[in-house]
Amino acid sequence: MNQAAPPPTDLISKLLIGMRIQGVQYRRIQTGPTFGLGFPPKPGHAYFHYLAVGNAILRGADGSQHLLSAGDVVLIPCGEGHSLLSGEDLPVQCLETIDAAPLGDAVSGIDTCPSTHAVPSAVLFHGCMVFDLGGMQGLSKLMPAVMRADGNAAQFPGLLPMVDAMKREVCSGRIGYAGILARLADAVAAMIVRDWVERGCEGASGLVMAMRDPRLSLSLLALHRNPGRAWTVEALAAESNISRSVFADRFQAVIGTAPLRYVTELRMQLASQWLSDQRLSIEVVAERLGYASQAAFSRAYKRVMGRSPGVARRGEGLASL
């Protein structure tokens, strides 16, 4: 009897459970009637913008433009350079050159609104972060440069109360608002990613196609549920109920990498998360991932990630914010 393919929601849930937003630096920004803010490229990071008040134009690195209004949320998953402007052809100033006043842990405020204007024309909440999808990290390379969500849109049920709460926190500046905003940003980013996956990832290939493949999805789900098992190509093929050769060819064609290489990369992505985020010991991580010794795990980790697990656990080597 053939095993039924897991529903796509199982793999999407695995993706969202593994998603982490780390190393966040937030800014609350308020502006006058005209503004041009530049955000430099940040490889390995993601940008998050929530426009609480006003309107803006988001101009991407490729010159594309996106009109934003109050309530819009934007996720730029690969950290591409971009700018936010009140109108076309305005000069742009790099955000990092503008003086910011500390408002709390990892939060600062920027106010470019002239004193002659009692009320700012635009208020936005901005974050720059390490965007970690855990074992599904390969998906980040497939995501569009700009992912926009309208808090009032029907395709995002439940988002409107969250962005309303973000607006209240951004505008009130009450004690502890930074921590509340960070948690809301996590949830909103997860909703944006979930919507993108559920819509077929806009035709993206590779891992997305495999998640929806009735055979490959079986082995992927088994692998992500138990990454520390002593996986072989034969064992993965058995989960998909097809022969070893057919499975290997199909996996390579759809995902673009060999099955066991994918297994190793998945393990190292999970190891990185466990070491730097959960602060697990190298010994525990090596055991969880099925390595016979710390030395064997350390060699594999350094080969794939380019640094030792000890460096990862100490939080060193991350791209600078």
Side-chain angles (χ1 to χ4, degrees):
M1 182 176 177
N2 290 335
Q3 189 175 357
T9 51
D10 284 357
L11 288 168
I12 293 170
S13 295
K14 200 71 179 177
L15 161 68
L16 297 177
I17 288 171
M19 192 175 83
R20 296 290 186 274
I21 292 177
Q22 309 172 60
V24 182
Q25 289 191 350
Y26 289 122
R27 289 184 176 93
R28 179 186 184 274
I29 304 169
Q30 57 185 36
T31 75
T34 61
F35 59 90
L37 303 173
F39 301 84
K42 293 282 187 180
H45 292 72
Y47 280 112
F48 178 93
H49 300 300
Y50 166 59
L51 187 60
V53 175
N55 298 283
I57 299 171
L58 187 149
R59 186 166 62 207
D62 60 356
S64 61
Q65 295 191 358
H66 307 264
L67 300 180
L68 307 181
S69 57
D72 282 353
V73 179
V74 175
L75 181 68
I76 300 178
C78 295
E80 292 191 7
H82 60 286
S83 56
L84 289 172
L85 311 100
S86 57
E88 297 185 35
D89 302 323
L90 289 172
V92 173
Q93 182 177 4
C94 178
L95 189 75
E96 296 180 355
T97 67
I98 302 176
D99 290 336
L103 300 176
D105 291 341
V107 182
S108 58
I110 292 177
D111 187 352
T112 64
C113 184
S115 58
T116 53
H117 292 263
V119 179
S121 297
V123 177
L124 65 99
F125 175 65
H126 152 71
C128 181
M129 63 205 72
V130 177
F131 187 49
D132 185 357
L133 293 178
M136 296 288 192
Q137 191 64 25
L139 270 184
S140 63
K141 299 176 183 177
L142 306 176
M143 291 178 178
V146 176
M147 303 173 76
R148 175 179 169 271
D150 178 353
N152 298 306
Q155 74 188 78
F156 294 101
L159 186 59
L160 181 57
M162 288 192 181
V163 296
D164 279 346
M166 291 182 77
K167 180 177 179 178
R168 287 195 299 272
E169 296 298 328
V170 169
C171 295
S172 70
R174 295 174 61 189
I175 294 174
Y177 82 96
I180 294 173
L181 277 171
R183 288 168 176 79
L184 289 169
D186 278 356
V188 171
M191 283 186 170
I192 294 173
V193 173
R194 178 180 64 184
D195 175 72
W196 177 72
V197 173
E198 287 181 335
R199 288 186 291 107
C201 304
E202 299 177 353
S205 59
L207 181 57
V208 175
M209 289 178 62
M211 289 169 67
R212 297 179 178 277
D213 186 293
R215 294 292 186 180
L216 292 183
S217 58
L218 293 168
S219 59
L220 278 175
L221 187 60
L223 171 58
H224 281 265
R225 282 176 171 169
N226 189 7
R229 176 179 165 183
W231 289 105
T232 62
V233 178
E234 290 84 357
L236 289 167
E239 294 288 340
S240 291
N241 297 312
I242 52 180
S243 71
R244 180 191 184 283
S245 60
V246 170
F247 172 81
D249 290 345
R250 192 165 175 173
F251 196 98
Q252 177 75 50
V254 173
I255 295 185
T257 190
L260 295 187
R261 180 176 178 82
Y262 181 88
V263 171
T264 300
E265 291 178 350
L266 166 64
R267 287 173 174 167
M268 296 308 108
Q269 292 289 349
L270 291 172
S272 182
Q273 181 176 303
W274 294 342
L275 289 166
S276 61
D277 186 23
Q278 299 184 27
R279 313 297 295 174
L280 298 182
S281 69
I282 297 173
E283 179 182 7
V284 168
V285 172
E287 182 179 351
R288 276 192 181 186
L289 294 176
Y291 286 88
S293 67
Q294 288 188 53
F297 164 71
S298 296
R299 286 193 298 270
Y301 188 91
K302 190 169 185 179
R303 184 177 67 251
V304 174
M305 306 302 289
R307 57 178 177 160
S308 71
V311 169
R313 192 172 187 276
R314 292 192 296 270
E316 301 172 10
L318 290 176
S320 173
L321 290 174

